[in-house]
Amino acid sequence: MTAAQTAPLLTVDGLCAGYGDSEILHEVQLHVADGELTTIIGPNGAGKSTLLKAIMGYLIPTAGQVHFAGVEITRMSTHQRVGQGLAFVPQLENVFPSLTVEENLLMGGYGFAADKRLLRERMDAQYERFPRLAERRRQRVRTMSGGERQMLALARALMTEPRMLLLDEPSAALSPKIADEVFAKVKEINAQGRTIVIVEQNADSSLRISDRGVVLADGRNAFEGPADHILHDEKIREAYLGTAEA
């Protein structure tokens, strides 16, 4: 293979970022291969969500670089990063409650709304991927369950056909059964060729579907390696997750 073929799809190098005078991330490193499913875990306040926001352009780093698909995107706007092939599903406010399912998907396709054929193809693809949304396409989102809303948030992000999905706490506030359904769908999307980075408090479920895991602590890299190793390493779990193996 050539160097270009083996280069990571996403590279975060020495990233420092935060809010105002408060620095949250301290020289964080992250490398994600094309097609990989990576879970980022760590204690509350470790900087996990801040890292996703910095990758997506909601925060401009004070130091370090971000490269995606061989292009430096460190100073690009969020809109430009979407154009490069990134998509982000935040933990909160990730759908429009007053709109219908179909209207939410239309919002996801705003960048190519003039191409009606492409818009319809992308929407039909999401309805095929998420049959429950197809059944509720005319339903107002505020009347839907938390699990249905999370599926819609995923579908809306996928309308842009991104190369990489960034997911912030996709199982938050969901029952264990519904969370399992969401994780199964995330794994399915990854198996179809989409690179995915997940930030999760539900470390066990997320690591079980992942290729690699990254542990952050106090805004710094603490450990990274195969997801299965992190899942079953009692010392890592006790030190950074505060739990014994489930």
Side-chain angles (χ1 to χ4, degrees):
M1 288 187 178
T2 67
Q5 288 174 315
T6 58
L9 180 60
L10 174 71
T11 301
V12 174
D13 185 19
L15 200 70
C16 299
Y19 308 92
D21 294 330
S22 178
E23 185 174 275
I24 305 298
L25 302 178
H26 312 291
E27 299 185 352
V28 169
Q29 310 283 338
L30 178 66
H31 301 86
V32 181
D34 195 7
E36 195 170 60
L37 203 170
T38 298
T39 285
I40 301 173
I41 58 176
N44 289 334
K48 304 182 297 294
S49 296
T50 300
L51 176 57
L52 290 193
K53 291 174 183 176
I55 293 170
M56 199 63 207
Y58 294 116
L59 292 174
I60 301 300
T62 56
Q65 293 183 332
V66 181
H67 287 81
F68 181 73
V71 177
E72 185 181 351
I73 63 171
T74 314
R75 302 290 166 181
M76 281 188 182
S77 68
T78 298
H79 176 74
Q80 289 173 314
R81 296 181 201 216
V82 171
Q84 291 291 320
L86 279 168
F88 177 52
V89 179
Q91 178 184 349
L92 302 173
E93 299 180 352
N94 54 21
V95 290
F96 298 99
S98 64
L99 303 182
T100 65
V101 166
E102 186 133 314
E103 287 168 341
N104 268 268
L105 293 182
L106 286 170
M107 292 294 290
Y110 73 94
F112 51 91
D115 189 336
K116 302 301 183 185
R117 181 189 60 80
L118 179 59
L119 188 62
R120 177 45 57 185
E121 285 179 357
R122 297 273 180 93
M123 292 178 69
D124 288 345
Q126 298 317 314
Y127 287 140
E128 183 176 352
R129 178 178 280 124
F130 301 95
R132 200 179 307 174
L133 299 182
E135 298 169 1
R136 292 159 171 75
R137 65 181 69 194
R138 307 298 182 196
Q139 187 171 338
R140 298 285 174 186
V141 174
R142 63 170 171 261
T143 67
M144 297 170 67
S145 69
E148 290 167 341
R149 291 188 186 201
Q150 193 60 42
M151 295 295 187
L152 177 57
L154 288 170
R156 190 162 65 91
L158 289 168
M159 284 290 290
T160 62
E161 289 290 328
R163 290 189 67 180
M164 177 178 284
L165 269 177
L166 306 175
L167 308 180
D168 191 2
E169 302 279 2
S171 73
L174 300 180
S175 69
K177 179 176 182 297
I178 300 302
D180 286 344
E181 291 182 16
V182 170
F183 283 121
K185 185 60 68 173
V186 169
K187 183 62 176 177
E188 177 186 310
I189 293 168
N190 172 247
Q192 294 167 349
R194 202 85 55 192
T195 307
I196 299 176
V197 177
I198 308 177
V199 157
E200 255 299 338
Q201 287 292 337
N202 188 344
D204 289 294
S205 294
S206 193
L207 287 169
R208 288 182 198 283
I209 67 168
S210 296
D211 301 303
R212 291 177 62 254
V214 175
V215 181
L216 291 186
D218 297 321
R220 293 179 171 84
N221 292 83
F223 186 86
E224 66 177 286
D228 187 63
H229 175 69
I230 296 175
L231 183 64
H232 298 295
D233 190 304
E234 292 187 8
K235 290 183 178 179
I236 293 174
R237 296 176 63 91
E238 291 174 3
Y240 301 113
L241 303 179
T243 62
E245 185 174 344

